[in-house]
Amino acid sequence: MSDPQRPRASLRTAVVWEVLKDALERRAKATGREAVGGEAVHGALDVLDTGGGSGNFAVPVARLGHHVTVVDPSPNALFALERRAAEAGVADRVRGVQGDAHGLFDVAERGGYDVVLCHGVLEYVDDPAEGLRNAAAALRPAGTLSVLAAGLGGAVLARALAGRFTEARQALTDPEGRWGSGDPMPRRFTADQLSELVTAAGLEIAAVHGVRVFADLVPGVLVDTEPGALDALLQLEEAAAELPAFRSVATQLHVLAERD
């Protein structure tokens, strides 16, 4: 998987990364455990990344000086995580364990983390509400939860623009937001659905963002060949992320929430 700090990958992760980085800074200041110059002070933050795979966010978070535990069901992903963390010089701050959202507390500590990431998990678990409750229960008091999930509107728009109008309508009306039996995504959410799940888990929503509003629709050749196009597109994504009209057609939705 790509590092959110690399230019091309940033098209897909820039909004989430900036929101997450700010949230980490605020939480570190609130706890008095800030990371200075990439070095942890008093252990910095304890971060849990559920479904974190090969370290797309875990390694950059560790570079900030925080300690990250990654829970993922794939041994191959965890092996890649270990290699990536070593290459980045943060192997001592990243720990990978095999597990999943439903059995989270078989491998992770309940109420033991300042920040929990639940990225790309709710689309695949059998019970999203249970998975989110577990993620919330892993937080310490006043902890922060970052949720990233597939957005319904983005899939409908993409199918329609590809001339797949029947599939677009199917996704729009299907309870799981799927466009057909060949759809590789098990489930998609609207912003309201995702927000309701987060609230039901006992958390207070701090922000909701649309992710990849334009990035998946713009031909790659334009971004690669036009001078300044990448930066301009990144700025456009960030400007549109919080606007409800654009959020509703984003490929992914990001919710930042806090535990009382």
Side-chain angles (χ1 to χ4, degrees):
M1 297 176 70
S2 298
D3 187 320
Q5 292 179 329
R6 294 175 186 167
R8 285 289 289 155
S10 63
L11 278 175
R12 302 170 65 87
T13 60
V15 170
V16 179
W17 178 242
E18 290 304 316
V19 172
L20 179 60
K21 191 164 61 170
D22 288 345
L24 288 165
E25 290 176 1
R26 290 195 304 271
R27 191 77 202 106
K29 289 179 181 178
T31 60
R33 288 181 282 130
E34 297 180 67
V36 180
E39 294 298 326
V41 177
H42 303 306
L45 297 179
D46 294 311
V47 180
L48 177 66
D49 189 352
T50 64
S54 59
N56 189 29
F57 283 91
V59 169
V61 168
R63 283 199 194 112
L64 297 177
H66 306 299
H67 293 280
V68 188
T69 298
V70 176
V71 177
D72 197 277
S74 169
N76 290 337
L78 293 174
F79 177 77
L81 168 70
E82 182 179 356
R83 183 177 59 211
R84 171 183 271 182
E87 291 173 352
V90 294
D92 60 328
R93 293 199 289 267
V94 177
R95 181 174 72 98
V97 292
Q98 191 171 0
D100 57 35
H102 290 308
L104 185 61
F105 299 116
D106 293 336
V107 295
E109 181 183 354
R110 186 183 296 271
Y113 304 91
D114 301 290
V115 177
V116 174
L117 312 186
C118 184
H119 294 176
V121 172
L122 301 183
E123 302 94 320
Y124 298 98
V125 296
D126 293 334
D127 186 343
E130 180 189 358
L132 201 50
R133 284 195 300 270
N134 284 348
L139 287 170
R140 289 171 176 156
T144 299
L145 178 68
S146 174
V147 180
L148 182 66
L152 172 62
V156 173
L157 182 61
R159 301 316 287 177
L161 291 177
R164 305 278 187 170
F165 306 123
T166 301
E167 291 177 351
R169 186 175 182 277
Q170 172 67 20
L172 192 60
T173 58
D174 183 77
E176 303 295 343
R178 304 183 75 235
W179 47 255
S181 59
D183 192 340
M185 186 64 67
R187 186 183 297 111
R188 295 183 179 87
F189 302 89
T190 64
D192 287 344
Q193 289 170 338
L194 198 58
S195 297
E196 288 170 7
L197 284 172
V198 171
T199 302
L203 301 176
E204 182 176 346
I205 294 175
V208 181
H209 295 88
V211 181
R212 291 156 56 190
V213 176
F214 307 103
D216 292 349
L217 303 177
V218 176
V221 65
L222 292 180
V223 179
D224 293 333
T225 60
E226 290 292 326
L230 177 62
D231 287 340
L233 182 53
L234 283 172
Q235 292 174 20
L236 177 60
E237 288 280 354
E238 291 171 354
E242 291 190 77
L243 300 177
F246 293 103
R247 188 173 65 202
S248 64
V249 294
T251 299
Q252 291 179 309
L253 297 167
H254 182 241
V255 176
L256 193 72
E258 298 176 349
R259 183 177 180 181
D260 290 336

